[in-house]
Amino acid sequence: GAVVSQHPSWVICKSGTSVKIECRSLDFQATTMFWYRQFPKQSLMLMATSNEGSKATYEQGVEKDKFLINHASLTLSTLTVTSAHPEDSSFYICSVPARSSYEQYFGPGTRLTVT
Amino acid sequence: DAKTTQPPSMDCAEGRAANLPCNHSTISGNEYVYWYRQIHSQGPQYIIHGLKNNETNEMASLIITEDRKSSTLILPHATLRDTAVYYCIVRVGTNAGKSTFGDGTTLTVKP
């Protein structure tokens, strides 16, 4: 069964609004989760590392004030795209590292379309 | 994390073995080779990983050259459902999750 879930699976929003995407670890607690973004026909790009109980770590070039990450519990991380614009339309994927630290489990992804 | 190079696309006949190569000539001694695949519009799926020995699981086999500068993922009997983008990633084993994805190889399995 699924190890990581994301909600919603797809969302359409108007330009200027904010959208929250949830990532849940279903089978185990995770002090760290990762958020990726994937544009059409491109590879995954790491956006940020979500840390339970502390601030997220953002990759270079990712606006932390625009992509708000909250790791409120050991099973839930949320990504909020604030003041969304059409160029934010993308496939957002979260991942959870396995206890063994060798594998990582990816969520099914959330497709965001900003009109 | 070391950079990897993969062919952009490959075809394979259904039922035949699919051999996907990956070059990682700058791999460090403590970096593992991981393979993931992504079926269209889904999250990536872990396939296999290895350090220096060849590995096999229920999905695939991983062959790593002795100098560790390249590897090959083998799907022994490809099916249509194996059509996906395959990503080869090298990273330190303890740095779980923080993976740098290259462009991958689009494998198309044909009937």
Side-chain angles (χ1 to χ4, degrees):
Chain A
V3 178
V4 181
S5 70
Q6 286 186 236
H7 177 80
S9 55
W10 59 271
V11 57
I12 301 173
C13 71
K14 293 186 176 181
S15 186
T17 62
S18 295
V19 175
K20 180 184 287 187
I21 302 170
E22 294 184 348
C23 175
R24 292 185 183 273
S25 176
L26 302 178
D27 281 3
F28 51 88
Q29 296 178 332
T31 56
T32 300
M33 295 184 184
F34 299 89
W35 286 97
Y36 294 83
R37 178 168 56 182
Q38 186 176 32
F39 292 109
K41 298 188 184 299
Q42 295 187 23
S43 187
L44 284 77
M45 183 176 65
L46 180 65
M47 298 177 65
T49 302
S50 175
N51 303 300
E52 191 270 336
S54 64
K55 292 182 179 181
T57 305
Y58 291 82
E59 297 299 304
Q60 190 173 8
V62 177
E63 301 175 60
K64 59 183 178 181
D65 294 332
K66 180 171 182 63
F67 299 99
L68 302 180
I69 292 173
N70 182 22
H71 197 140
S73 75
L74 290 172
T75 59
L76 174 65
S77 174
T78 61
L79 168 67
T80 301
V81 183
T82 62
S83 186
H85 292 287
E87 56 265 32
D88 298 321
S89 298
S90 188
F91 194 47
Y92 292 86
I93 307 168
C94 68
S95 76
V96 177
R99 287 197 193 95
S100 68
S101 294
Y102 291 128
E103 298 181 33
Q104 68 173 298
Y105 298 102
F106 287 85
T110 296
R111 186 160 303 282
L112 169 64
T113 301
V114 184
T115 61
Chain B
D1 294 342
K3 183 174 180 177
T4 61
T5 304
Q6 298 177 251
S9 64
M10 292 182 65
D11 290 343
C12 177
E14 187 178 19
R16 306 296 285 264
N19 297 286
L20 291 90
C22 178
N23 286 323
H24 31 80
S25 58
T26 60
I27 190 170
S28 299
N30 61 348
E31 288 182 316
Y32 287 72
V33 179
Y34 291 80
W35 283 84
Y36 296 88
R37 73 179 182 184
Q38 186 179 26
I39 296 171
H40 183 62
S41 294
Q42 296 182 23
Q45 176 190 22
Y46 165 85
I47 301 174
I48 200 167
H49 76 277
L51 182 61
K52 53 184 177 181
N53 297 323
N54 297 338
E55 302 288 344
T56 295
N57 63 20
E58 65 277 6
M59 288 183 67
S61 294
L62 173 61
I63 308 298
I64 302 174
T65 58
E66 193 169 340
D67 62 8
R68 302 210 320 126
K69 293 184 176 182
S70 65
S71 61
T72 300
L73 177 74
I74 301 173
L75 307 178
H77 305 287
T79 70
L80 299 179
R81 288 179 295 180
D82 292 322
T83 293
V85 180
Y86 287 77
Y87 294 100
C88 167
I89 296 167
V90 292
R91 60 174 166 85
V92 177
T94 56
N95 194 20
K98 194 165 183 173
S99 300
T100 301
F101 284 78
D103 293 332
T105 295
T106 299
L107 174 68
T108 302
V109 180
K110 298 184 175 182

